[in-house]
Amino acid sequence: MIQTIDSGKCVGCGLCAAKCPLDVLRVRAGKAVIAYPDDCMTCYICERSCPQGAIFVHPFKEAAPPVLPGILEFLSTRDGRPS
Amino acid sequence: MDWKQVPETVLRTDVLIIGGGAAGMWAAKRLKENDPGLDVLMVDKGPESWGGLMRLAGGDFAAVLPGESVDDWVKDVVYYWDGLCEQDVMEDIFSQSYDRLLDYKNLGCEFLEDENGNLRGVPQRGLDHCRLYPAKLKGTGGQNMAEAMVKEMVRLGVRRMSRTLVTDLVKDGDRVIGAVGFHSITGEYYIFQARAVIVACGNASWKPGYNSNTSTGEWVDMCFQAGVELRNFETLTVMNAPKLFFWEGQAIYLALGGRFVNALGEPFMDKYSPVLGANTDNNYITRAMAIEIRNGRGPIYLDLSQIKPEDMVFVKPQTGNQMMNYEKLLAEGIDFFHDKNIEFIPQVQLTLGGAATAPDGGTGVEGLYVCGRSRSLDYVYMGGFGLSSTAITGYITGNAVADYLRTASAGREVSVGEAAGLKEKLYSPMGDAGLTPKQVLIKVQNLMSHYDVCLLKSAESLTAALGELDRLRTEELPRMYAADPHYLLKYKEVEGIFLLTELYLRASLLRQESRGSHYRLDYPKRNDKDFLGWIVQRQGADGSVVQRVKPVPLARYKHPVDRFYSDNFTF
Ligand SMILES: Cc1cc2nc3c(=O)[nH]c(=O)nc-3n(C[C@H](O)[C@H](O)[C@H](O)COP(=O)(O)OP(=O)(O)OC[C@H]3O[C@@H](n4cnc5c(N)ncnc54)[C@H](O)[C@@H]3O)c2cc1C
């Protein structure tokens, strides 16, 4: 997931924002900002396109949904389940 | 802001292409090559010059080389798909595969070759004939293809719009006349007036990882409402994914000796399929993973120690995002090729379900065509078929639409009333309180990921999942809101995922047998008498899902259906 944009290094060229497949980044007041961090899919396109080396994307992705328990068990044990 | 006052623009074109991925670009290319005078407008919700998922793809391409037999490939997939193969269509598709590979080569995309200039192929899924051909350098194959095709779009004068989501098709009787959509940054409303529309929106996915930027079910919803027949929604790609990070390339490393082991160190696939072992489709592996984990033998790890050193050229990233990923993981102390404790889990990605079309991509709706991964062909995925099927079906549909437009009359204009009604509906979720699209998305993703919903299905678990989906639809979906146009796009994606999930669950319930990636614990055997056919779903008069089984027309086909890939497994 995207972690940081070094605003000292960022020159506000906007390449990262233009290329992000998910519109995670925007340029505000002349600097790139992480506007929608939740949408990052860890593709590194922003980091690879930054001419200043200002962006760091961590290789870990967002947590994947669990396969266990099965749905029957899940529904029967869920707190506050409306009957 | 009053969203009723948002600016709107009418855009007129001969052909509206929804989706600028591989399939959309191939269709556009053929349209322009057939008739340079046609106005072609390609609209994509992604960034400018994106090129779809191909930009992230490895670049592996499935093709029948000169001198090989197309019939052999068709027989392979009849067997691999447990009989659910349109044999005549696949014969036509495979027979064009090498031409498209050559097209990519001529556009400057390089494939891996030996010292004599022969392509180096990797056999797929333990099949006798089907192979994929990897890009020369591992890591940027797909990116090179995307960039080459974007250049073609510029050269041919295809008009393109980015960050724009198409949300509804507009019909006049049985004919499509246009569509509407909006810009996901400015919020501007668009009315598209088109003589023909091509849906090239990719597979419908549950937005896992790299598939986050493609379609969920927006196009499924549009096609469903337009009356298009949809099929194969009971199939899924449930990938074996590293738990913590991304790694691409299963199609190759499993074919070359990679295998999964359980917590006891056992290569468990040998037990479920002594013939194929781990050299098979991901869905059979993730089914086995689920059984292993459920029975207390998890977690599951990847073991690459059996890959021959000379084959590592196929496996090791050399450039691009794959190389960056590899190096970043090394920096975190994770060595993908040597660590023995990299945990893998099953992860629901997408369905192979899509539009059931005529061979040229035509739907029952005049002027409406579907190509690429939005058109359902394969019943179980095969490495390299994404890039080859999108080039081939995009090419075919581009030709067909150019042909259609030679005689098609002009449709009527989208009326002011139609456009205004759709506009009001579109912006109605704008607000500032309630549930975010992501909050609701996670609930649907979680619902799908239960092992007894995506892998080991039963009437009981599927019915429970439908009930839970219904609860989310009535209790949570109405509370979902969009704070700005960016979130309105996410909102529409999540809305689409509800129909997608319903189509998956209903088709899975109807298919009371096991076939391909579809496995029912309560019907673990194949039942050819009742189910050697496609499950076709469409919208009924009251808006509900109408289903039927369309039998495979065996009498019309060249090859007998007497070998079944799933017979290699015992679960
Ligand atoms: C990481 C990765 C690696 C892969 N590697 C390979 C490989 O090596 N070989 C192979 O054969 N396949 C591979 N694939 C699969 C292959 O990339 C895809 O099957 C193929 O690119 C799909 O092309 P498409 O045009 O059908 O769909 P997509 O590429 O998904 O394109 C659809 C486009 O439509 C847009 N869109 C969707 N809905 C709308 C809407 N309503 N309005 C506007 N725009 C919309 C999307 O933004 C997208 O750009 C890989 C996939 C991934 C993710």
Side-chain angles (χ1 to χ4, degrees):
Chain A
M1 300 272 280
I2 185 158
Q3 251 181 7
T4 50
I5 302 178
D6 183 336
S7 60
K9 288 187 186 164
C10 174
V11 293
C13 71
L15 271 177
C16 57
K19 291 193 174 181
C20 173
L22 289 154
D23 186 29
V24 169
L25 305 162
R26 294 281 178 92
V27 179
R28 289 185 185 143
K31 298 281 179 190
V33 295
I34 308 173
Y36 302 98
D38 266 12
D39 292 322
C40 175
M41 64 170 181
T42 322
C43 69
Y44 305 125
I45 285 177
C46 56
E47 183 169 333
R48 287 176 63 210
S49 59
C50 177
Q52 298 298 112
I55 301 179
F56 178 75
V57 178
H58 191 278
F60 286 3
K61 62 187 179 185
E62 82 183 342
V67 292
L68 282 172
I71 190 158
L72 298 170
E73 194 186 332
F74 168 75
L75 290 179
S76 65
T77 57
R78 185 170 59 183
D79 287 342
R81 158 121 181 100
S83 55
Chain B
M1 169 154 190
D2 179 1
W3 292 99
K4 286 199 189 74
Q5 302 306 317
V6 70
E8 56 184 60
T9 309
V10 180
L11 294 144
R12 283 166 218 282
T13 184
D14 290 314
V15 190
L16 172 69
I17 302 182
I18 311 173
M25 292 195 286
W26 273 98
K29 179 171 155 70
R30 284 312 291 163
L31 279 159
K32 285 298 227 181
E33 284 170 349
N34 270 284
D35 183 353
L38 284 177
D39 185 77
V40 178
L41 176 60
M42 198 168 71
V43 177
D44 198 292
K45 68 176 172 174
E48 198 183 323
S49 301
W50 163 236
L53 282 183
M54 177 160 70
R55 184 166 288 274
L56 302 171
D60 312 332
F61 197 94
V64 188
L65 299 197
E68 290 183 345
S69 148
V70 167
D71 275 345
D72 282 344
W73 276 60
V74 176
K75 281 191 256 179
D76 261 9
V77 293
V78 169
Y79 158 67
Y80 183 47
W81 299 342
D82 281 348
L84 295 191
C85 173
E86 283 174 301
Q87 297 187 11
D88 44 359
V89 170
M90 286 312 300
E91 183 173 333
D92 185 39
I93 284 182
F94 282 147
S95 65
Q96 300 186 39
S97 56
Y98 186 64
D99 290 340
R100 299 294 78 77
L101 186 149
L102 283 185
D103 285 342
Y104 273 122
K105 261 185 127 170
N106 290 334
L107 291 172
C109 305
E110 295 181 288
F111 293 88
L112 192 63
E113 293 175 348
D114 65 17
E115 55 280 9
N116 302 318
N118 299 315
L119 289 167
R120 293 186 66 181
V122 180
Q124 279 302 289
R125 270 71 169 173
L127 298 172
D128 290 337
H129 304 282
C130 292
R131 276 165 199 274
L132 60 76
Y133 295 92
K136 182 171 173 189
L137 283 182
K138 187 166 169 57
T140 37
Q143 183 185 323
N144 293 342
M145 289 165 141
E147 281 164 8
M149 285 302 288
V150 167
K151 252 196 220 158
E152 281 293 279
M153 298 300 97
V154 175
R155 180 180 72 82
L156 293 163
V158 175
R159 277 203 291 159
R160 293 172 298 145
M161 289 170 71
S162 56
R163 305 272 191 217
T164 300
L165 185 76
V166 177
T167 57
D168 297 88
L169 297 169
V170 186
K171 275 172 56 180
D172 177 24
D174 279 337
R175 169 174 186 176
V176 69
I177 53 171
V180 302
F182 72 100
H183 195 274
S184 67
I185 295 179
T186 65
E188 189 175 352
Y189 184 61
Y190 299 118
I191 300 154
F192 302 99
Q193 185 79 54
R195 294 169 65 210
V197 176
I198 300 177
V199 172
C201 297
N203 284 117
S205 86
W206 279 266
K207 278 177 81 73
Y210 290 148
N211 288 286
S212 300
N213 62 305
T214 186
S215 65
T216 56
E218 309 101 295
W219 67 266
V220 180
D221 216 338
M222 281 192 271
C223 285
F224 185 69
Q225 292 192 35
V228 174
E229 290 202 319
L230 303 163
R231 72 171 179 202
N232 293 343
F233 275 76
E234 73 279 17
T235 63
L236 290 180
T237 293
V238 185
M239 202 68 169
N240 36 59
K243 187 172 180 181
L244 297 177
F245 53 86
F246 291 113
W247 195 274
E248 282 306 315
Q250 284 86 336
I252 293 187
Y253 64 62
L254 291 177
L256 296 176
R259 57 187 195 170
F260 291 98
V261 295
N262 62 18
L264 308 174
E266 297 163 342
F268 54 89
M269 281 313 291
D270 296 350
K271 175 172 67 184
Y272 297 103
S273 179
V275 182
L276 296 166
N279 183 18
T280 184
D281 173 59
N282 302 303
N283 292 286
Y284 292 99
I285 296 175
T286 47
R287 186 185 304 167
M289 278 181 172
I291 295 172
E292 293 294 304
I293 297 169
R294 191 190 57 180
N295 294 345
R297 293 189 291 271
I300 307 298
Y301 303 110
L302 179 66
D303 169 17
L304 295 177
S305 62
Q306 312 287 310
I307 297 182
K308 296 194 196 91
E310 65 266 30
D311 283 338
M312 286 308 282
V313 59
F314 290 110
V315 182
K316 267 213 154 142
Q318 287 153 299
T319 172
N321 62 331
Q322 293 191 10
M323 186 65 182
M324 181 176 257
N325 190 41
Y326 175 49
E327 286 175 342
K328 277 176 179 270
L329 289 168
L330 281 177
E332 294 292 323
I334 297 172
D335 182 343
F336 188 78
F337 295 103
H338 296 102
D339 287 1
K340 299 269 174 277
N341 58 351
I342 297 178
E343 184 178 348
F344 274 66
I345 53 166
Q347 192 180 20
V348 176
Q349 288 202 314
L350 46 87
T351 166
L352 297 183
T357 73
D360 66 359
T363 65
V365 180
E366 190 190 337
L368 182 63
Y369 292 76
V370 182
C371 65
R373 303 303 294 163
S374 303
R375 172 178 169 188
S376 180
L377 288 172
D378 34 332
Y379 198 69
V380 186
Y381 186 68
M382 176 173 77
F385 194 58
L387 293 177
S388 71
S389 66
T390 49
I392 299 163
T393 60
Y395 188 101
I396 291 173
T397 297
N399 286 346
V401 174
D403 241 20
Y404 165 75
L405 289 175
R406 283 194 188 102
T407 52
S409 59
R412 74 155 168 83
E413 295 273 299
V414 177
S415 76
V416 175
E418 277 164 337
L422 290 168
K423 183 177 182 184
E424 189 173 341
K425 187 181 88 177
L426 172 61
Y427 294 100
S428 63
M430 300 307 296
D432 52 18
L435 298 170
T436 64
K438 182 93 181 198
Q439 283 173 314
V440 181
L441 172 69
I442 288 174
K443 299 222 167 134
V444 183
Q445 288 176 327
N446 286 352
L447 166 71
M448 278 299 295
S449 80
H450 295 291
Y451 71 87
D452 52 357
V453 177
C454 60
L455 289 164
L456 309 172
K457 317 179 203 181
S458 69
E460 205 185 352
S461 59
L462 293 167
T463 307
L466 259 179
E468 177 64 1
L469 185 72
D470 226 34
R471 188 190 72 76
L472 293 172
R473 179 142 49 195
T474 49
E475 292 176 16
E476 313 232 334
L477 193 54
R479 292 167 56 210
M480 188 164 79
Y481 76 103
D484 63 20
H486 170 96
Y487 283 117
L488 186 58
L489 185 145
K490 310 293 164 188
Y491 181 103
K492 296 303 290 182
E493 290 178 344
V494 175
E495 203 178 50
I497 238 172
F498 274 80
L499 175 64
L500 170 62
T501 307
E502 180 179 349
L503 292 174
Y504 165 71
L505 293 171
R506 289 199 186 283
S508 297
L509 266 169
L510 180 62
R511 190 174 283 288
Q512 295 180 334
E513 62 149 7
S514 293
R515 187 180 299 270
S517 74
H518 168 79
Y519 184 71
R520 288 277 301 253
L521 280 175
D522 45 357
Y523 297 97
K525 297 236 153 34
R526 252 188 0 265
N527 170 358
D528 290 327
K529 190 172 131 298
D530 298 318
F531 291 108
L532 183 56
W534 295 276
I535 292 185
V536 177
Q537 303 185 101
R538 62 179 301 158
Q539 191 178 44
D542 62 351
S544 64
V545 180
V546 177
Q547 304 179 305
R548 74 190 157 101
V549 180
K550 185 182 172 196
V552 172
L554 290 174
R556 198 155 68 67
Y557 284 164
K558 207 167 172 179
H559 310 290
V561 176
D562 53 8
R563 290 167 65 227
F564 299 89
Y565 192 80
S566 61
D567 284 350
N568 291 304
F569 301 87
T570 332
F571 288 101

